[in-house]
Amino acid sequence: YPVLFLLDGKFHFHHASGIVDFLSTQSIIPEMIVVAVVNTDRNKDFTPTKLSQRPQSGGADKFMDFFDKEVFPYLEKNYRTSNYRVLMGHSLGGTFATYALLQRPKLFSSYISVSPYLMYDNNLLIRETLEKLKTDYKNKINFYMTVGNEPNYFETLDFFAQSVKTASPKGFNFSYVKRMDDNHGSSPHLSIYNGLLFIYDDWKLSDEVFAEGIKAIDKHYKSISKTYGSNIVAPEAVINLLGYKYLAEENFENAIEVFKENVKRYPESANVYDSLGEAYEKSGDIKKARENYAKAVNLSKKTHQ
């Protein structure tokens, strides 16, 4: 699974995990592991340089080491993670996200930077943008940046956006959105929602591909596997939806074929047998319908589906 890392995780885990759950069940984004990183000292962890007026500041490089040497290895050992990592940061967390992009672009695959405080240390990151942005990112990077109705941020973030536009690095997918109906505190929720849509804009099946059938669907997921660095297969729910499309058209032969393929791919799911049973029932084959309904019931009792 890809991983979404939330800075200030104590505040963002509940609503962000809900967004991931909703979008993934709609097959708009993949299922993801959501990791809430609780920061005990934001001024230390998120800031790239030490300032006299912030005695604990300047720990961003050590914080990147923490991810690289402790968090990532722990997750890889204990969970089924892919190497596709998304970092979300708000305010000073957005400062850190931008700093990580410029200093260690291979650390994360994509970024959601919400109201990043790029004015830090006399616009340090703005001054470094043109110098540190690579001309070519071989592994595509997405950077989604937003700001609420915060006029004090506009000049700096506008300049950053213009710098990205001037550099025009290959493989760098950038979006900058001003959310004028939001303020500094309210902007993270929809920024995470829309940021995930931006990052996974190629994930959802188009109506045209879906209409072409199972082979086209498999081709789509094979294609995005290359982008996200893991073997991605057509989800059970997507195949099931195709079967019900044929069923609604009373194309019973194709519906049964698709549902049987789902049984083959997901034999431990009660739902695939239930759907196949329904197709047989509507086609008039009551005997096979009963057989598959019985399998669905037995599996459901075992797995509590």
Side-chain angles (χ1 to χ4, degrees), residues 78-240:
N78 292 281
Y79 298 91
R80 291 180 292 163
T81 62
S82 74
N83 289 325
Y84 200 86
R85 307 174 183 126
V86 180
L87 178 66
M88 176 269 168
H90 175 222
S91 196
L92 271 182
T95 308
F96 175 80
T98 309
Y99 184 65
L101 164 73
L102 296 175
Q103 293 296 123
R104 303 191 204 177
K106 293 182 179 180
L107 207 58
F108 298 95
S109 311
S110 290
Y111 303 80
I112 300 173
S113 184
V114 185
S115 297
Y117 186 71
L118 300 188
M119 298 81 86
Y120 184 84
D121 194 1
N122 193 29
N123 296 335
L124 170 69
L125 298 184
I126 296 298
R127 290 182 276 119
E128 291 189 344
T129 298
L130 287 176
E131 176 190 343
K132 295 289 180 67
L133 267 182
K134 297 174 67 175
T135 57
D136 187 358
Y137 292 88
K138 293 181 180 179
N139 296 321
K140 177 184 172 186
I141 285 182
N142 300 290
F143 195 90
Y144 185 78
M145 184 175 76
T146 68
V147 67
N149 191 355
E150 307 166 77
N152 290 340
Y153 281 69
F154 291 164
E155 182 179 0
T156 305
L157 298 191
D158 288 350
F159 190 86
F160 176 81
Q162 184 57 48
S163 297
V164 172
K165 183 178 179 180
T166 300
S168 297
K170 294 179 181 178
F172 189 72
N173 192 26
F174 177 73
S175 178
Y176 172 40
V177 179
K178 289 180 178 176
R179 303 196 53 80
M180 299 304 290
D181 291 332
D182 279 314
N183 57 36
H184 190 75
S186 67
S187 58
H189 184 76
L190 286 177
S191 294
I192 294 171
Y193 184 98
N194 290 313
L196 290 172
L197 294 182
F198 173 75
I199 290 167
Y200 290 106
D201 68 332
D202 57 352
W203 187 271
K204 186 178 179 181
L205 279 168
S206 68
D207 293 339
E208 292 76 16
V209 170
F210 185 76
E212 289 179 28
I214 191 74
K215 289 184 179 180
I217 291 171
D218 284 339
K219 184 178 179 181
H220 166 80
Y221 285 103
K222 184 178 181 180
S223 174
I224 61 176
S225 292
K226 296 177 183 178
T227 302
Y228 299 106
S230 59
N231 183 33
I232 301 165
V233 297
E236 173 193 331
V238 170
I239 300 173
N240 226 40

